Amino acid sequence: MAHLPSGIRETFERPTRGPHLPTAGTNGQGNPTIEMPDPNKPFPEIDNYRDIAAIVAAGDPALQQGTAMDAALLQKSEEIMHGIDNPPFFPGAENVDMLQQQIDPGLQEMLSAAGRDQMAVHNELAGADGKSPNNAFIEDLMTHQWADDGAAASSLLNGTGAVPTDLTDPTQIAQATRVGETMHAVDQWVANTDNTKNLLDIPGTGNQSLGQVNPDLAVALAEANKPYIDDMGGNPLDASQGFTPMDDGSNTQMPGMRNLFAVIDTHAGAAEILNGQAYANGMHYQAQFEQSIINGGPVDTGDLQSAGTLKGVIDSAANMADNDAIAYGNLQEVNAYESRGQWFEFAKTVGGEIPLVKSILDWNGKVPGDPLQSIFVGDAPVGADPKQIVQQTSDAMQYAVAQRLLDANLGNAGIFDQYDLINPDTRQLSPLTDDLSDFRSAFTNYFNGINDNIKDGIEDYEDGYRDAMPNATAQPG
């Protein structure tokens, strides 16, 4: 700050908030003065902050690397937002229209300009050590009714370089770590049970959710979390840094991860982004499990358990968001089955760019019945109560794994022939039917004939899925 031009430094040094009562002072000549509150300018420096933000915005973003000016703009943004929501209240502080007309434009310009500085954003939201989250500021950013639907606040979540391409490059590692720590700080606040409730029903909005009040912010939150879905569950698929698991491993319901997904699910576009990536991750885990069997080495049962846990989180979070929409009266938004279909289509696009997932998608396109669709989307509900979660079995997963191994010429296909469940010429399994007893017997015998650990992986998938469900509202199906 000391190295900034004097005019800018003095602007930042002056109080952010104007007086709320007549305040005695002295002028430059030492004469006594009385400064009166200005109800139209509770933050008298905000126009000056906007001028500084305009200077920053006109500069080269590549040079915004932890600058004092960006840090000051973020600090002043925090102080303004704190002054809106905390006493002493100024006239009109509760008037959303007034705030959006008089205060938000300046705040939005400040955040948009300084939000390009990932170092400054990291230090403001996660602390310089990455472990000291600024929960008060995060709360203000998330619950404020933004005039721009949260677009400017979203700039703080738009960190780049989350996944380093060169793990020997300390600059890339440091950048990725900052981005991961920033998102972890934000997500941990969102995932807190009390905060999740407030984001599903933001106070002062008539019980509207984040996705309704700040749709752009919900979308940005989903986009920013795509690299960290695997880290949330503690089974990384890439080299992202700085993001530790969301939940204590002893709580298999994954409440933090579920809460985060539920908040994002309050906006259809955000839900498609997040859950589409999560479905792609699930396919990735499944593909790694299958490939480990084909390779003949140790069977990666943990990957299939991760797939089950992830599916359980997705289903239970979508149920939370649906129930919130029901309570608000938005019954037209409760389309869980249709939404899962859209998420799966998005996942196929995302997964097509990942070699191992692309291989399983290519395989799936050649198999009758679309096994992956059955795993992730399931069957259309018949008179299902949207307030309840209808749990799915592992039959579709076992079917897909078995067919994948048959295509790799593993195991005794004759086992399925004994039950009249396979075309002996093509080695293609018959479609799953409602009568699953023969399939289940054949699956068990077929898997055990290859490796006993395959069935262990299936059971781990079932456990992961079931354990991620909130027991109080689950309805086995």
Side-chain angles (χ1 to χ4, degrees):
M1 183 74 75
H3 300 292
L4 292 176
S6 59
I8 293 177
R9 185 181 67 253
E10 290 168 4
T11 295
F12 286 135
E13 289 174 347
R14 289 193 288 269
T16 307
R17 176 74 183 269
H20 65 284
L21 295 172
T23 303
T26 56
N27 60 21
Q29 290 73 40
N31 298 320
T33 61
I34 297 291
E35 186 176 6
M36 300 298 293
D38 185 345
N40 295 315
K41 288 191 175 182
F43 306 104
E45 298 293 332
I46 196 167
D47 288 337
N48 293 328
Y49 301 152
R50 294 181 74 174
D51 291 341
I52 296 171
I55 296 172
V56 172
D60 184 353
L63 300 179
Q64 290 182 252
Q65 301 292 326
T67 71
M69 197 176 302
D70 290 329
L73 282 173
L74 291 173
Q75 178 64 37
K76 290 300 182 181
S77 298
E78 179 184 357
E79 291 176 7
I80 290 172
M81 299 194 75
H82 183 81
I84 292 172
D85 297 324
N86 294 275
F89 295 107
F90 55 88
E94 74 290 345
N95 187 325
V96 174
D97 289 338
M98 188 277 286
L99 292 176
Q100 291 185 343
Q101 293 174 22
Q102 296 188 18
I103 308 298
D104 279 14
L107 268 176
Q108 289 162 184
E109 291 171 20
M110 294 162 68
L111 293 174
S112 294
R116 303 185 305 182
D117 187 334
Q118 293 184 16
M119 288 185 182
V121 170
H122 168 268
N123 294 347
E124 182 68 21
L125 295 184
D129 62 355
K131 299 177 178 62
S132 306
N134 189 346
N135 290 327
F137 190 29
I138 295 171
E139 177 177 8
D140 287 338
L141 290 169
M142 289 291 167
T143 58
H144 184 75
Q145 298 180 60
W146 292 102
D148 65 352
D149 294 334
S154 299
S155 65
L156 275 64
L157 308 181
N158 292 338
T160 58
V163 182
T165 56
D166 183 357
L167 295 178
T168 66
D169 183 347
T171 300
Q172 287 192 34
I173 295 297
Q175 182 178 6
T177 300
R178 284 192 296 270
V179 178
E181 288 175 346
T182 300
M183 284 313 304
H184 192 269
V186 172
D187 288 349
Q188 285 292 88
W189 184 86
V190 173
N192 174 277
T193 298
D194 290 337
N195 298 336
T196 297
K197 291 178 180 177
N198 282 339
L199 290 174
L200 292 175
D201 302 298
I202 295 178
T205 67
N207 297 325
Q208 293 187 77
S209 64
L210 176 69
Q212 294 170 296
V213 175
N214 293 317
D216 287 1
L217 189 53
V219 170
L221 188 62
E223 192 68 45
N225 269 297
K226 285 167 57 180
Y228 304 113
I229 296 171
D230 53 341
D231 301 294
M232 293 176 193
N235 189 355
L237 291 168
D238 56 31
S240 57
Q241 307 285 313
F243 198 107
T244 54
M246 291 282 292
D247 295 285
D248 182 341
S250 64
N251 191 337
T252 56
Q253 286 193 11
M254 309 293 285
M257 189 176 179
R258 182 179 66 235
N259 287 347
L260 175 68
F261 271 58
V263 169
I264 293 173
D265 284 352
T266 59
H267 183 274
E272 181 175 303
I273 292 169
L274 186 74
N275 291 290
Q277 181 65 57
Y279 277 175
N281 285 10
M283 286 188 275
H284 200 160
Y285 289 132
Q286 178 187 338
Q288 289 186 163
F289 171 76
E290 294 168 350
Q291 195 62 47
S292 71
I293 302 168
I294 294 170
N295 291 343
V299 178
D300 293 334
T301 58
D303 282 333
L304 209 60
Q305 182 170 11
S306 292
T309 298
L310 188 53
K311 180 167 172 51
V313 168
I314 293 169
D315 288 356
S316 58
N319 180 256
M320 282 180 63
D322 278 353
N323 287 341
D324 181 69
I326 291 170
Y328 183 74
N330 284 352
L331 295 179
Q332 71 276 11
E333 295 183 6
V334 183
N335 299 306
Y337 176 74
E338 292 79 2
S339 295
R340 287 199 297 268
Q342 294 168 2
W343 302 343
F344 181 66
E345 291 303 315
F346 186 86
K348 290 196 291 187
T349 301
V350 173
E353 301 176 1
I354 305 170
L356 193 57
V357 178
K358 184 178 186 303
S359 68
I360 196 175
L361 286 169
D362 290 344
W363 162 82
N364 186 70
K366 301 172 184 176
V367 178
D370 200 346
L372 293 179
Q373 173 93 5
S374 298
I375 292 170
F376 292 100
V377 180
D379 298 325
V382 180
D385 180 357
K387 293 185 179 181
Q388 300 293 327
I389 303 174
V390 179
Q391 294 187 20
Q392 299 180 27
T393 68
S394 67
D395 296 310
M397 174 62 76
Q398 295 189 67
Y399 181 95
V401 173
Q403 185 63 72
R404 182 92 163 129
L405 299 183
L406 286 167
D407 289 349
N409 295 313
L410 291 183
N412 180 10
I415 291 173
F416 293 101
D417 194 37
Q418 293 173 17
Y419 291 94
D420 196 25
L421 297 175
I422 193 171
N423 183 319
D425 297 325
T426 64
R427 291 174 67 91
Q428 295 295 313
L429 294 174
S430 303
L432 283 174
T433 63
D434 291 337
D435 185 5
L436 294 167
S437 59
D438 286 349
F439 267 110
R440 289 168 177 167
S441 298
F443 289 148
T444 298
N445 293 328
Y446 173 68
F447 292 143
N448 287 342
I450 301 174
N451 190 316
D452 292 344
N453 289 331
I454 298 175
K455 196 62 178 177
D456 292 338
I458 297 296
E459 291 173 356
D460 288 346
Y461 171 84
E462 294 170 342
D463 291 344
Y465 177 66
R466 182 187 61 249
D467 292 347
M469 291 291 180
N471 296 328
T473 58
Q475 177 182 316

